[in-house]
Amino acid sequence: MSKVNQRSSLHLNPPSNSSNLTSTQTWTHTPSLDSPCANGVMVYMSYLSKTELQTFKELLMEKKLLPDSLGITWKQLNRANWAEMVHLLVEYLPGALAWNVAREVLEKMNQRRISSLLREELEDILPTLEPTDSYLRKTPLSLTKEENDKIREYKRRVMGKNFLVCDTTVWPGNQADFLYINVRNHDAILPCLFLPRSPQGRQPKIVVIHGIPGIGKTTLARKTMLMWAQNKFYAHKFKFAFYFHCRELNWVGERSFSELIEGQGLRSQALVSKILSRPDQLLLLLDGFEELTSSLIIRPADLVEDWNQKLPGAVLLSSLLSKRMLPEATLLIMVRPTSWRGVKVLVKRPSHVTLTGFRRTETLDYLRLYFKDRMKRNQVVDFAMKNTILLSMCRVPVVCWIVCHCLRKLMQKMVNLTEACPNATSVCVLYLATLFPTIWKKLSGSNYQKQLEGVCRLAAHGVWDLKSVFDKSDFQHVKVAEATIDAFLQVNILRKLEDHGDRYVFALFIFQEIFGALFYVLFFPERIIYYHPLSQVGIQDLIAMSRSRENCETQMGLFLFGLLNEACAGIVMRSFKCRIGLGNKRKAISVITHLNDYGCYDCSQLFPCLTEIREESFVCSALESYQKVFLKLRSLKDLQLSAFCLRRCRGLEKVELTLSRAFYQDLWPDSADPTQSTQLRENKIVFSWWEDICSVFETETNKDLEVLMVTDSILEALFIQIVTTTLQKPQCKVQRLHLMHVSRMLHKNLFRVLSENQHLRQLGAEHTKLGEEAVKSLCIALNHPSVLKNCEATFIDWILLTSNLQRNSHLKAVLLTASPPNIFGVKYLLLSYLRELMLENCNLTENSCQEIALSLSHSKLLTHLSLAENDLKDEGSRHIWNALEHLMCPLQRLVLRQCSLTSACCKYMTSPLKNNKSLQSLDLSFNRLMDDGVILLCKALEDTNCNLLVLELEKCWFTSASCHTLASMLCRNRKLRYLDLSKNIIRINGMLTLALELFRQRRADEVVLSKKSNKSLDMYTRLKGPEVESDHLKIVEDWNSCYLKML
């Protein structure tokens, strides 16, 4: 791993200063590719405390390590955070000088560890480091007193406009119970947005802030502008900053960019010209792409670089995004997933940051702040913790308020929350229900359902068409009247856009999703088709979009399944005074039962929908055909959904499970709740879900469940204890347990399973480190086939393991791949009681083969041996074949796949193949045998004493020149039952030669031509080899279908 990649795995997310919560569980956070610190340089500076950083700044000024020509003042330096300090150093000190200056100061501070890390980083990126362009070190602009006054006045207006940083068009601040709190993670993002990146060491010129509607993109933009106006945001870099919402670019006619800047309140064309003459000091924030009425321009010939030229809004915006205009300016772009599709074709080499909203702990903190009464607070928190879909929706701050508002209303009525809210959808419906009395009063009874249908149709079509802004013609098209629009505006379900006449959006995108889902359950008994049917593809797409909103645009599918719940449908009918039909429910269950056949959906897409519908019979029927499931648990939400659905599976045969580091970050984050009682309650809930998942391995309904794979997982002690306890039970029928990239699982609890579970037949471990205790326990426990792949152990541990395996009379098979046990271990294994042994990619060489051959000559039980992917070479194989000629052990299969063999080795095989009576299966694939080698091999196979049934020659580099000899051998050898000729260069001429010779010898009816399967085989299947048919020869090739018909 390079040092750059190592840096990306460090803890780079400094905790928010505003947080006063203490952590009950420490866990190291790994920044994703969307982290603002990902690939950042000098990130080790974040390890300095506030006091240490202040000392760093003082020494920097005291030693005069920054050139006076830069004009950097102590006031600017004093306000800079660690990321801004890194930016300042890299921006103004060319090349390696920035690192050298930083290290000099750190050495004076006795911060030798950080200094050493910076030195290693510099060595790593020095070949690719790009010095800052000279123009960036120009002296600051010279402004007159009047111009400086105008800039100060502009900053005052920015501060006044953005003093309340929350987006007041979204947050219903006029509500009596209104509560707004900052998203801590978003606050931590701001300082790092323009951190220079490796490998060039340059500041990103374009930063794209991704986020779903309502997550806080506009709030972050407002906060950025506020901090800039207060000289607290990269004051040394950005002398000028301007925020533009795309609705400002929807003008009729043409305007220049300089006029647009002047319109921000500067009122001086001369000042604007000075500002735009130094674009390197300019920060432009662009927001609201969903409200852009014109399409962006992507043709380079249509883009313009002159900022004084009058242009249509779309051309101007496209010219800025593409960097055709003001290429040195820095862009901060706020964009929804739906809008990004049109923007990404223009922006080049952007840096990406994704806003995730409230973390789970922040959501719970919000609930505690909202509900003052302790009893109500605990009741609401428990309800939320048990409903992870609802908790996940609450990461959008305003949705969190909506949930609180709704639950408060319910608790005032003294109702049970679980009974009143059967699923997450019902909570959102109940909030909207509080707004509908006003709508009923405004609309006539006879016309109400048709008007509701029109609004729902508009919402649904908008979701499908990726549209969220609607004009009067859109409403007219679905026959929604002016009075209906006014009614929905009055209750803040719809919102009229500023300065745009008759253009509207749903006040929250979640409202559009809910009404869009409602469109497919509305019931019209007077019509021939009494509901709006969804197609099979439509249902599949809705399921796919319901996974999680980090990567998807809508939860309309999730809400549809929520509305299909009968209890929730009852709430809709009472709340909205409309009739509900469940015709799409029958179609949905039909589609889901067939998804498994197509193999086009993983459980992460399907399980949220099935959990939201929360009906036992529906879920059991939907999952009836599922025999294999893959569970990737990255959050508590994934755990709950998997627990709910897995318990309702019938007939499972294989479960693959991944428990990632992100899961524990969600369970035990840095900002975990300080109260121990809350943590204990939550742990109890979490472990009950884990027990539900594990219980699947012992239920009678899944009696055919034989394979459990645990991959890419970190399992903590309590999780291991629960799963191993289940696996030890006599009801558990799991026969194969496979571990790959699994940490902390190889300890005594697991090995006790191997000793006590009478059904377990095979253990596999790949890419897993074997410690001394694990090796000792493994030696005691192993009585069944064992697979160790890419496992690390010391020399002594391998000796201990293999010597114990030699004495183990119960163990019949061991599979080692990429786990070199050293030559002493190999000898122990060959002389053991093993029947089947794989030593694949175990660093064996031609020097090892003499010892292997000697051990083989004394082995009396071995039937299957694989030495694949070892560099044995021809000389090494000679020792193996010499031993095989006089071998007394019943070796039936030998695998020498990819062993660096050439045609020369074939002469060593001829005699052993004639004289060895037990060898029946031979794999020589991926060796350069060429035509000469294959011809020699065929001569040996023509001998009537040769007993080979299986011969695999995949990619052995022979051509059609060998096919005549191959055909002749096949006509004489009546024992061979399987021949693999795939990935060789025999082409149509070779195929015809084989076919004609077989036809001439009247063997055509005894031969089956088969196309090579691309399906990967597990290690044990590779060791066992292909199955053969007793009365036919099967020839496997990369046959083209037309060739098969012709032959």
Side-chain angles (χ1 to χ4, degrees):
M1 181 185 292
S2 72
K3 296 187 180 90
V4 173
N5 290 334
Q6 289 174 352
R7 289 198 306 276
S8 69
S9 65
L10 293 170
H11 174 74
L12 303 182
N13 293 328
S16 170
N17 295 331
S18 63
S19 173
N20 59 0
L21 298 178
T22 58
S23 174
T24 60
Q25 177 76 23
T26 302
W27 199 265
T28 302
H29 285 257
T30 303
S32 68
L33 292 176
D34 289 335
S35 165
C37 291
N39 298 320
V41 301
M42 294 199 202
V43 292
Y44 309 110
M45 293 284 289
S46 65
Y47 297 164
L48 295 175
S49 67
K50 283 186 176 180
T51 303
E52 290 167 341
L53 183 61
Q54 193 68 14
T55 302
F56 183 94
K57 298 172 187 175
E58 290 170 357
L59 287 171
L60 198 64
M61 293 296 285
E62 180 186 322
K63 301 298 180 182
K64 297 184 178 181
L65 296 173
L66 293 174
D68 294 336
S69 61
L70 298 179
I72 300 297
T73 65
W74 170 248
K75 190 175 182 180
Q76 290 175 327
L77 206 62
N78 191 38
R79 289 176 173 174
N81 57 52
W82 73 268
E84 290 172 332
M85 281 302 307
V86 171
H87 184 280
L88 186 148
L89 290 170
V90 174
E91 186 87 351
Y92 293 113
L93 301 177
L97 184 58
W99 277 261
N100 294 333
V101 166
R103 288 186 58 226
E104 182 179 341
V105 176
L106 290 168
E107 291 285 350
K108 291 183 181 299
M109 294 171 60
N110 203 28
Q111 294 285 346
R112 292 188 176 86
R113 177 57 180 156
I114 299 179
S115 176
S116 175
L117 290 170
L118 289 182
R119 176 180 55 78
E120 293 176 10
E121 177 184 66
L122 179 59
E123 292 173 357
D124 193 35
I125 69 171
L126 190 57
T128 56
L129 196 61
E130 293 182 0
T132 308
D133 294 332
S134 58
Y135 71 81
L136 290 176
R137 293 187 288 277
K138 289 180 180 178
T139 55
L141 272 179
S142 176
L143 300 177
T144 65
K145 180 180 181 302
E146 183 182 356
E147 289 170 337
N148 278 317
D149 289 342
K150 288 182 178 179
I151 293 294
R152 282 192 288 271
E153 176 61 27
Y154 170 65
K155 286 186 175 183
R156 281 194 291 271
R157 281 198 303 273
V158 169
M159 285 188 279
K161 187 175 182 180
N162 295 286
F163 183 73
L164 292 174
V165 294
C166 66
D167 186 355
T168 53
T169 62
V170 173
W171 279 90
N174 59 336
Q175 299 287 335
D177 61 339
F178 169 77
L179 174 65
Y180 174 82
I181 62 175
N182 287 330
V183 181
R184 290 194 293 267
N185 192 42
H186 296 182
D187 289 342
I189 282 173
L190 273 174
C192 308
L193 286 176
F194 299 105
L195 185 70
R197 304 294 200 268
S198 62
Q200 288 82 22
R202 300 295 297 271
Q203 168 220 313
K205 285 295 185 182
I206 301 177
V207 176
V208 181
I209 305 292
H210 298 269
I212 59 175
I215 202 70
K217 299 182 297 299
T218 298
T219 296
L220 188 72
R222 286 174 178 270
K223 190 170 292 187
T224 302
M225 288 299 297
L226 178 63
M227 290 179 65
W228 171 80
Q230 296 169 337
N231 298 317
K232 295 179 181 178
F233 185 77
Y234 287 84
H236 66 278
K237 169 66 176 175
F238 301 123
K239 307 302 181 186
F240 315 102
F242 300 95
Y243 170 85
F244 297 103
H245 196 284
C246 283
R247 71 170 74 99
E248 300 173 50
L249 304 178
N250 288 328
W251 59 67
V252 177
E254 298 181 341
R255 293 172 66 186
S256 69
F257 187 63
S258 59
E259 290 174 333
L260 194 62
I261 294 288
E262 190 177 358
Q264 294 282 309
L266 297 178
R267 299 188 302 277
S268 168
Q269 186 60 47
L271 176 57
V272 170
S273 296
K274 282 188 177 182
I275 291 172
L276 295 181
S277 70
R278 288 297 302 274
D280 57 292
Q281 298 181 352
L282 181 61
L283 174 63
L284 301 177
L285 293 86
L286 305 174
D287 192 9
F289 285 85
E290 67 279 0
E291 295 187 27
L292 194 64
T293 55
S294 304
S295 299
L296 293 170
I297 309 301
I298 60 175
R299 277 201 343 140
D302 296 331
L303 303 176
V304 177
E305 60 182 78
D306 183 2
W307 36 265
N308 277 319
Q309 184 175 339
K310 294 181 183 293
L311 301 166
V315 177
L316 175 56
L317 182 59
S318 302
S319 299
L320 289 169
L321 290 171
S322 65
K323 290 290 187 174
R324 184 69 176 271
M325 183 182 293
L326 300 172
E328 296 89 7
T330 300
L331 303 184
L332 184 60
I333 301 170
M334 273 58 65
V335 65
R336 294 182 181 184
T338 48
S339 304
W340 174 237
R341 298 180 182 186
V343 174
K344 68 179 179 181
V345 296
L346 284 168
V347 297
K348 298 174 183 177
R349 296 183 296 278
S351 175
H352 299 277
V353 177
T354 298
L355 299 188
T356 55
F358 283 151
R359 294 179 181 176
R360 181 180 54 85
T361 50
E362 288 180 90
T363 301
L364 297 177
D365 288 343
Y366 187 100
L367 299 178
R368 295 185 187 100
L369 284 171
Y370 184 93
F371 291 93
K372 307 300 182 184
D373 180 81
R374 181 180 178 183
M375 184 177 296
K376 291 180 178 178
R377 179 168 64 239
N378 290 340
Q379 186 180 347
V380 168
V381 168
D382 283 348
F383 172 75
M385 286 194 299
K386 293 176 182 177
N387 193 331
T388 55
I389 291 180
L390 184 66
L391 205 58
S392 175
M393 291 179 184
C394 286
R395 70 180 177 278
V396 177
V398 69
V399 175
C400 196
W401 173 82
I402 283 174
V403 169
C404 289
H405 181 84
C406 176
L407 296 181
R408 181 176 65 85
K409 295 279 188 183
L410 290 173
M411 296 181 80
Q412 288 172 351
K413 299 177 182 178
M414 305 296 289
V415 299
N416 182 288
L417 292 181
T418 304
E419 293 176 0
C421 307
N423 54 21
T425 305
S426 62
V427 178
C428 301
V429 168
L430 286 167
Y431 171 78
L432 290 171
T434 63
L435 310 178
F436 260 68
T438 302
I439 295 175
W440 300 331
K441 292 176 184 176
K442 293 279 185 180
L443 305 179
S444 63
S446 60
N447 193 40
Y448 165 73
Q449 177 121 344
K450 288 184 179 179
Q451 291 297 294
L452 179 61
E453 178 190 12
V455 172
C456 292
R457 184 190 297 273
L458 183 80
H461 288 181
V463 169
W464 289 119
D465 297 337
L466 307 180
K467 183 176 181 179
S468 59
V469 180
F470 307 96
D471 57 30
K472 275 289 180 66
S473 64
D474 295 317
F475 285 96
Q476 291 168 358
H477 182 71
V478 294
K479 299 179 181 178
V480 171
E482 291 271 2
T484 303
I485 297 174
D486 292 339
F488 277 79
L489 284 171
Q490 185 175 342
V491 296
N492 202 34
I493 292 177
L494 288 176
R495 175 169 59 89
K496 192 173 184 178
L497 294 180
E498 301 173 8
D499 307 322
H500 283 292
D502 297 329
R503 298 182 73 228
Y504 307 87
V505 295
F506 284 88
L508 296 176
F509 189 67
I510 196 173
F511 294 167
Q512 183 175 346
E513 295 171 316
I514 292 169
F515 283 107
L518 184 60
F519 178 64
Y520 295 106
V521 296
L522 289 175
F523 179 63
F524 305 94
E526 71 279 4
R527 300 180 185 175
I528 297 175
I529 301 178
Y530 57 86
Y531 68 100
H532 298 286
L534 274 163
S535 67
Q536 177 176 324
V537 172
I539 293 174
Q540 291 177 5
D541 288 343
L542 286 174
I543 292 172
M545 290 189 291
S546 298
R547 163 64 189 120
S548 70
R549 296 181 69 191
E550 288 90 358
N551 300 314
C552 300
E553 293 93 24
T554 178
Q555 289 187 129
M556 188 168 77
L558 186 72
F559 289 132
L560 173 62
F561 278 83
L563 294 172
L564 293 177
N565 173 279
E566 291 187 7
C568 186
I571 294 172
V572 172
M573 287 189 286
R574 293 190 299 273
S575 302
F576 294 171
K577 292 187 177 179
C578 61
R579 303 189 67 175
I580 298 297
L582 303 179
N584 281 313
K585 188 174 186 177
R586 291 185 292 272
K587 184 174 288 189
I589 199 168
S590 173
V591 169
I592 293 170
T593 55
H594 289 95
L595 290 181
N596 191 48
D597 299 334
Y598 305 143
C600 53
Y601 284 95
D602 61 27
C603 297
S604 64
Q605 296 172 330
L606 181 59
F607 281 7
C609 297
L610 295 180
T611 304
E612 186 64 6
I613 201 169
R614 287 190 178 274
E615 289 186 358
E616 187 88 12
S617 59
F618 183 97
V619 178
C620 289
S621 298
L623 295 174
E624 189 174 8
S625 64
Y626 283 69
Q627 297 177 335
K628 301 176 183 178
V629 294
F630 171 59
L631 308 176
K632 189 166 186 177
L633 307 182
R634 293 166 291 191
S635 64
L636 294 186
K637 177 183 173 184
D638 293 332
L639 182 68
Q640 185 190 18
L641 304 187
S642 299
F644 177 84
C645 294
L646 213 60
R647 281 183 62 86
R648 288 151 183 85
C649 287
R650 305 290 184 265
L652 283 176
E653 296 178 1
K654 178 179 178 180
V655 174
E656 185 171 347
L657 173 69
T658 295
L659 202 67
S660 69
R661 183 182 296 274
F663 171 80
Y664 295 103
Q665 293 174 358
D666 191 37
L667 176 59
W668 295 313
D670 288 342
S671 56
D673 180 76
T675 61
Q676 187 177 7
S677 60
T678 302
Q679 189 66 60
L680 290 174
R681 284 202 312 274
E682 186 167 33
N683 285 348
K684 185 177 180 181
I685 295 169
V686 169
F687 289 126
S688 70
W689 292 336
W690 180 245
E691 287 170 353
D692 285 346
I693 289 177
C694 294
S695 68
V696 173
F697 308 136
E698 56 171 314
T699 57
E700 184 62 27
T701 53
N702 289 299
K703 61 180 183 299
D704 295 324
L705 179 55
E706 296 182 353
V707 182
L708 170 60
M709 294 186 66
V710 185
T711 62
D712 299 304
S713 296
I714 299 172
L715 290 178
E716 294 291 335
L718 285 172
F719 288 89
I720 296 174
Q721 183 179 339
I722 292 170
V723 70
T724 53
T725 299
T726 304
L727 292 173
Q728 288 174 44
K729 294 181 180 180
Q731 306 96 298
C732 178
K733 301 295 196 303
V734 172
Q735 297 181 20
R736 293 172 58 192
L737 175 60
H738 197 95
L739 312 175
M740 183 168 67
H741 291 286
V742 176
S743 173
R744 307 178 188 177
M745 193 166 176
L746 291 179
H747 66 39
K748 59 183 180 181
N749 284 343
L750 174 66
F751 298 124
R752 192 176 296 125
V753 174
L754 298 175
S755 304
E756 298 180 8
N757 188 314
Q758 60 180 336
H759 301 287
L760 194 62
R761 291 289 176 266
Q762 188 183 112
L763 167 69
E766 298 183 38
H767 299 275
T768 300
K769 189 171 184 177
L770 302 177
E772 182 180 352
E773 292 302 315
V775 169
K776 289 179 180 178
S777 301
L778 193 58
C779 293
I780 297 170
L782 281 178
N783 289 312
H784 302 301
S786 168
V787 179
L788 302 178
K789 181 176 181 179
N790 286 89
C791 294
E792 298 177 26
T794 65
F795 182 90
I796 299 299
D797 288 338
W798 277 122
I799 294 293
L800 174 64
L801 176 61
T802 53
S803 61
N804 275 274
L805 291 177
Q806 183 190 24
R807 297 190 296 271
N808 189 324
S809 60
H810 301 285
L811 189 65
K812 305 305 179 189
V814 168
L815 283 70
L816 298 179
T817 72
S819 307
N822 65 60
I823 192 60
F824 299 104
V826 172
K827 290 174 65 177
Y828 282 132
L829 292 172
L830 288 167
L831 295 173
S832 66
Y833 291 92
L834 294 175
R835 306 294 197 273
E836 298 160 343
L837 175 62
M838 172 183 280
L839 299 171
E840 189 174 287
N841 191 18
C842 285
N843 289 350
L844 301 177
T845 66
E846 55 187 314
N847 297 326
S848 315
C849 289
Q850 198 162 358
E851 295 290 344
I852 293 173
L854 183 62
S855 301
L856 270 177
S857 63
H858 292 88
S859 176
K860 297 193 171 43
L861 299 172
L862 197 65
T863 60
H864 292 68
L865 174 64
S866 174
L867 302 174
E869 298 181 35
N870 290 292
D871 195 22
L872 304 183
K873 297 190 170 64
D874 296 332
E875 190 59 29
S877 73
R878 181 171 67 87
H879 296 296
I880 305 294
W881 287 110
N882 286 344
L884 285 175
E885 185 166 8
H886 308 290
L887 199 61
M888 299 303 294
C889 84
L891 189 68
Q892 298 173 18
R893 176 164 169 81
L894 176 64
V895 181
L896 297 176
R897 182 186 185 91
Q898 199 173 332
C899 288
S900 304
L901 306 180
T902 71
S903 58
C905 78
C906 295
K907 62 187 176 185
Y908 306 134
M909 304 180 199
T910 53
S911 181
L913 287 176
K914 295 175 186 177
N915 296 326
N916 188 297
K917 304 302 180 186
S918 62
L919 191 64
Q920 297 179 355
S921 182
L922 177 62
D923 186 355
L924 296 171
S925 300
F926 293 89
N927 290 296
R928 299 181 74 93
L929 302 186
M930 316 296 282
D931 290 318
D932 291 343
V934 171
I935 290 170
L936 274 173
L937 192 58
C938 288
K939 295 297 183 184
L941 266 64
E942 287 180 357
D943 194 287
T944 55
N945 292 320
C946 179
N947 290 320
L948 271 190
L949 300 178
V950 174
L951 178 60
E952 295 172 80
L953 298 174
E954 181 180 1
K955 200 170 184 179
C956 285
W957 299 88
F958 59 89
T959 69
S960 57
S962 310
C963 289
H964 183 75
T965 307
L966 267 171
S968 177
M969 179 272 292
L970 292 176
C971 290
R972 296 184 183 184
N973 186 321
R974 299 291 174 136
K975 296 178 182 178
L976 198 64
R977 289 290 175 264
Y978 184 96
L979 177 62
D980 187 348
L981 302 178
S982 59
K983 294 189 175 70
N984 289 292
I985 321 165
I986 61 176
R987 297 195 175 93
I988 185 63
N989 291 336
M991 296 181 202
L992 288 172
T993 300
L994 285 172
L996 291 172
E997 187 65 22
L998 291 170
F999 183 78
R1000 188 174 64 82
Q1001 295 290 335
R1002 298 184 179 179
R1003 281 207 67 186
D1005 57 340
E1006 301 174 19
V1007 177
V1008 175
L1009 303 181
S1010 178
K1011 182 176 175 61
K1012 180 77 173 183
S1013 172
N1014 292 323
K1015 184 179 179 182
S1016 60
L1017 303 176
D1018 62 66
M1019 292 183 291
Y1020 197 62
T1021 303
R1022 290 204 310 270
L1023 178 62
K1024 296 293 282 185
E1027 295 182 0
V1028 299
E1029 299 179 12
S1030 58
D1031 54 349
H1032 284 86
L1033 166 63
K1034 184 176 183 179
I1035 301 179
V1036 177
E1037 234 289 11
D1038 303 313
W1039 307 103
N1040 184 293
S1041 58
C1042 64
Y1043 294 160
L1044 280 171
K1045 291 177 182 178
M1046 180 175 65
L1047 297 174

